[in-house]
């Protein structure tokens, strides 16, 4: 036992123990290491990139899906504490905004406003969100307008440069698949016009007369052209009258209307109340617009007129018409009959003419007389005409509900698909009071029926109402062919509404020959 004054003896240190002595420098070093560890931990928690951003992939949605920006998903931990100012995430976590082509921008074509295109990338607390790209199919497929998407209060857009304005893409006018707009034609200028007033005489002493501007005869005025005068008309030029136009030629001294050059002039047109009388005249080189002579509510008289080498037909509408001893042949007529007349009752006189050899539209007749009145019938006087068809009827008589009356005598109806065609919208009983006799009807195109083809039988006459056609010649002495009433006939056939017995055994003496 030791005395109190004796100090205890310290044991010798063993090999398994050590003493940690910390001085000031050691403490500073330990603090720095701890701070570094805390910084690394914070960076790992708050500075991690958005889902799939590390691998460079972008979440995809099917057409028609719109991302929900108001409710965070389970993978989005958003601090609900309001931010005093935007927190700038690391530069590496922000993908470049994807530019949207103009072609993807939906238009307001279906009545919905176009959604606002993204101008920035939205982020908060290090979570990056790219606004969805709206394709046009999303707007078109939606029955109602898309609601405006509001970002949550905790999402703050990152400041980016203001994008350039996107030009509006028109729907049709200038789209890539649309043809360029048709330029507007220049406004028409006034057409040069010469107006004749009073009574005017064109004499042989001053012939020829050249018309280089459209010529108009004023109401109450008259133009009288003397025998032997030649009228030369420039291309596309027309003569129109609201007064009187008289061309009074003589045998051996016709009045001639011809083209002044190689191109056709237009035509001669009569306005309501006018009179056009052409006698012993010739008309060549006209009809540039498809009509050579046209009158409406007027009077048209053609007597001993030769009409050939023209590009248009003759048309009369609700006018007095008389065509005598004239020739209409060798014309190009793109539409209508060679001579076409529409009436509201009244009288049509077609006597002693030779009409044929014209190039007509398929199925068009040489002569067409049509009555449109429901109250007044049309009386026809069709005699001694030589009508040679192309592939339509030679003569067509047509009416709505009123009867046709008059004479169809001593005409030669040759070639074409049909000789005489009578048409009506209402069947009349007992029939039309037409006197149809002493006509020569022959050489029409046989229909594609075995017996017709075998014997060369064409359609001589067809009618939609009862008519009397006795005492006509049908091309053969044994009469016309009718399968039920006279199957032994070998002349051109007759329709079931036509009376034909007795028939003429020979060509009638009053009928002109080709």
């Amino acid at each position: 036992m030791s005395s109190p004054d004796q100090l205890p003896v310290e044991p010798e240190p063993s090999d398994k123990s050590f003493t940690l002595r910390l001085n000031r420098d050691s403490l500073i070093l330990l603090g720095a290491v701890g701070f570094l560890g805390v910084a690394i931990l914070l960076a790992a928690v708050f500075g991690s990139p958005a889902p799939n951003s590390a691998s460079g992939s972008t979440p995809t949605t099917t057409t028609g899906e719109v991302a929900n920006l108001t409710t965070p998903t389970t993978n989005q931990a958003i601090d609900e504490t309001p931010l005093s100012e935007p927190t700038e995430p690391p530069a590496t976590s922000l993908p470049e905004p994807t530019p949207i082509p103009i072609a993807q921008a939906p238009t307001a074509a279906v009545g919905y406003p176009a959604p606002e295109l993204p101008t920035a990338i939205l982020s908060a607390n290090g979570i990056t969100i790219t606004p969805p790209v709206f394709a046009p199919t999303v707007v078109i497929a939606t029955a109602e307008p898309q609601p405006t998407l509001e970002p949550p209060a905790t999402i703050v857009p990152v400041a980016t440069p203001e994008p350039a304005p996107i030009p509006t893409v028109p729907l049709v006018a200038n789209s890539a698949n649309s043809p360029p707009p048709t330029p507007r034609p220049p406004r028409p200028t006034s057409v040069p016009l010469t107006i004749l007033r009073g009574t005017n005489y064109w004499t042989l002493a001053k012939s020829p007369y050249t018309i280089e501007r459209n010529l108009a005869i004023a109401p109450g005025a008259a133009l009288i052209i003397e025998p032997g005068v030649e009228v030369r008309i420039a291309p596309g030029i027309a003569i129109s009258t609201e007064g009187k136009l008289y061309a009074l030629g003589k045998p051996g001294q016709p009045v001639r209307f011809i083209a002044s050059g190689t191109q056709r002039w237009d035509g001669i047109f009569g306005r309501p109340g006018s009179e056009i009388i052409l006698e012993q005249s010739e008309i060549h080189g006209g009809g540039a617009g498809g009509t050579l002579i046209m009158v409406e509510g007027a009077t048209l008289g053609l007597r001993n007129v030769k009409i050939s080498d023209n590009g248009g037909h003759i048309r009369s509408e609700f006018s007095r018409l008389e065509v005598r001893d004239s020739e209409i042949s060798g014309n190009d007529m793109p539409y209508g009959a060679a001579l076409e007349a529409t009436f509201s009752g009244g009288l049509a006189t077609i006597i002693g003419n030779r009409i044929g050899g014209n190039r007509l539209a398929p199925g068009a007749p040489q002569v067409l007389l049509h009555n449109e009145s429901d109250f007044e019938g049309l009386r026809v006087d069709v005699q001694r005409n030589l009508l040679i068809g192309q592939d339509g009827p030679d003569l067509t008589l047509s009416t709505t509900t009123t009867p046709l009356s008059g004479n169809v005598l001593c005409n030669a109806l040759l070639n074409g698909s049909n000789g005489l065609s009578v048409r009506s919208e209402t069947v009349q009983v007992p029939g039309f009071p037409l006197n149809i006799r002493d006509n020569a009807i022959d050489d029409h195109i046989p229909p594609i029926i075995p017996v017709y083809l075998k014997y060369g039988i064409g359609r001589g006459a067809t009618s939609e109402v009862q008519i009397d056609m006795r005492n006509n010649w049908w091309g053969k002495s044994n009469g016309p062919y009718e399968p039920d009433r006279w199957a032994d006939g070998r002349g051109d056939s007759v329709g079931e509404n036509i009376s034909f017995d007795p028939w003429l055994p020979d060509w009638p003496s009053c009928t002109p020959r080709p």
Side-chain angles (χ1 to χ4, degrees):
M1 180 178 294
S2 62
S3 62
D5 298 332
Q6 188 178 2
L7 294 173
V9 179
E10 293 182 322
E12 295 181 2
S14 65
D15 297 336
K16 298 182 180 180
S17 64
F18 67 92
T19 301
L20 179 61
R21 298 178 184 272
L22 300 176
N23 53 23
R24 180 173 177 273
D25 295 335
S26 299
L27 292 175
I28 292 174
L29 179 61
L30 289 175
V33 172
F35 184 81
L36 180 60
V38 173
I40 294 173
L41 179 62
L42 291 176
V45 173
F46 297 102
S48 59
N52 296 329
S53 64
S55 60
S57 62
T58 303
T60 60
T61 59
T62 59
T63 302
E65 295 180 345
V66 179
N68 186 358
L69 301 182
T70 59
T71 304
T73 61
T74 56
N75 294 330
Q76 294 177 337
I78 299 178
D79 187 2
E80 296 181 356
T81 304
L83 300 177
S84 59
E85 58 184 10
T87 302
E88 187 123 356
T92 57
S93 64
L94 296 177
E96 290 296 328
T98 303
I100 299 179
I102 293 176
Q104 293 183 0
T107 65
V110 293
Y112 305 130
E116 186 176 352
L117 297 176
T119 59
I121 295 177
L122 309 180
S123 66
N125 296 341
I127 298 177
T128 302
I129 301 175
T130 302
V133 176
F134 292 88
T137 53
V138 176
V139 178
I140 295 174
T142 306
E144 297 181 357
Q146 294 287 342
T148 304
L149 301 177
E150 296 288 342
T154 56
I155 299 177
V156 181
V158 176
T160 57
E162 191 70 21
I166 298 175
T168 303
V169 181
L171 178 62
V172 174
N174 295 321
S175 61
N177 296 327
S178 299
T182 303
R184 290 187 178 183
R187 299 184 65 180
T189 58
S190 58
V191 178
L193 180 67
T194 299
I195 301 178
L196 298 182
R197 305 182 187 278
T199 302
N200 302 267
Y201 292 88
W202 287 3
T203 64
L204 180 60
K206 295 183 179 180
S207 179
Y209 288 82
T210 300
I211 303 177
E212 295 182 346
R213 309 194 331 166
N214 288 330
L215 180 67
I217 303 172
L223 173 60
I224 302 173
I225 306 176
E226 295 182 352
V229 171
E230 183 173 277
V231 181
R232 300 174 181 176
I233 308 174
I237 297 302
I239 300 174
S240 62
T241 178
E242 295 181 77
K244 296 176 174 61
L245 172 60
Y246 297 148
L248 306 177
K250 293 181 179 179
Q253 287 186 300
V255 174
R256 302 180 71 237
F257 296 87
I258 63 173
S260 62
T262 58
Q263 298 180 358
R264 286 177 174 152
W265 50 281
D266 194 355
I268 301 174
F269 304 99
R271 309 301 181 189
S274 64
E275 291 184 17
I276 299 177
I277 305 297
L278 308 180
E279 295 184 355
Q280 294 288 343
S281 300
E282 297 180 4
I283 303 177
H284 310 289
T291 299
L292 177 66
I293 300 175
M294 178 178 176
V295 293
E296 181 180 5
T299 297
L300 176 61
L302 303 177
R303 302 164 187 158
N304 293 100
V305 178
K306 183 177 182 180
I307 300 173
S308 62
D309 191 25
N310 297 283
H313 70 159
I314 301 169
R315 184 172 182 179
S316 171
E317 294 186 353
F318 310 109
S319 301
R320 295 174 57 192
L321 176 65
E322 179 183 348
V323 183
R324 289 179 179 267
D325 304 316
S326 297
E327 178 181 335
I328 305 173
S329 63
N331 302 282
D332 291 314
M333 299 174 171
Y335 53 82
L339 174 59
E340 180 174 333
T342 301
F343 299 87
S344 180
L347 172 66
T349 303
I350 313 294
I351 297 176
N353 304 286
R354 301 174 70 90
I355 304 176
N358 300 293
R359 290 169 287 277
L360 304 175
Q366 294 294 332
V367 177
L368 168 62
L369 306 178
H370 172 64
N371 186 36
E372 285 193 357
S373 175
D374 293 329
F375 305 100
E376 185 177 354
L378 174 65
R379 184 171 181 270
V380 299
D381 191 6
V382 181
Q383 300 186 44
R384 302 190 308 277
N385 298 285
L386 173 62
L387 306 180
I388 301 177
Q390 181 179 307
D391 60 359
D394 303 318
L395 173 63
T396 297
L397 305 178
S398 174
T399 184
T400 52
T401 58
T402 54
L404 296 170
S405 62
N407 298 315
V408 181
L409 306 174
C410 301
N411 300 283
L413 309 179
L414 309 176
N415 305 124
S417 65
N418 192 358
L420 172 65
S421 175
V422 179
R423 310 196 64 179
S424 175
E425 295 180 6
T426 302
V427 175
Q428 303 291 325
V429 178
F432 286 165
L434 286 169
N435 182 22
I436 308 174
R437 58 180 175 81
D438 294 321
N439 298 285
I441 305 170
D442 193 14
D443 291 334
H444 295 99
I445 302 171
I448 305 177
I449 300 174
V451 65
Y452 287 78
L453 293 173
K454 180 179 179 180
Y455 296 104
I457 299 172
R459 288 192 170 99
T462 59
S463 178
E464 297 176 348
V465 296
Q466 293 289 334
I467 58 175
D468 186 349
M469 292 190 68
R470 294 176 291 183
N471 296 308
N472 291 283
W473 187 72
W474 300 93
K476 294 291 187 294
S477 59
N478 59 358
Y481 172 77
E482 210 290 317
D484 296 328
R485 292 174 290 166
W486 186 239
D488 293 336
R490 292 296 177 262
D492 278 5
S493 67
V494 295
E496 59 182 6
N497 292 323
I498 299 173
S499 301
F500 58 89
D501 189 9
W503 58 84
L504 298 179
D506 297 302
W507 188 287
S509 59
C510 64
T511 301
R513 290 184 177 270

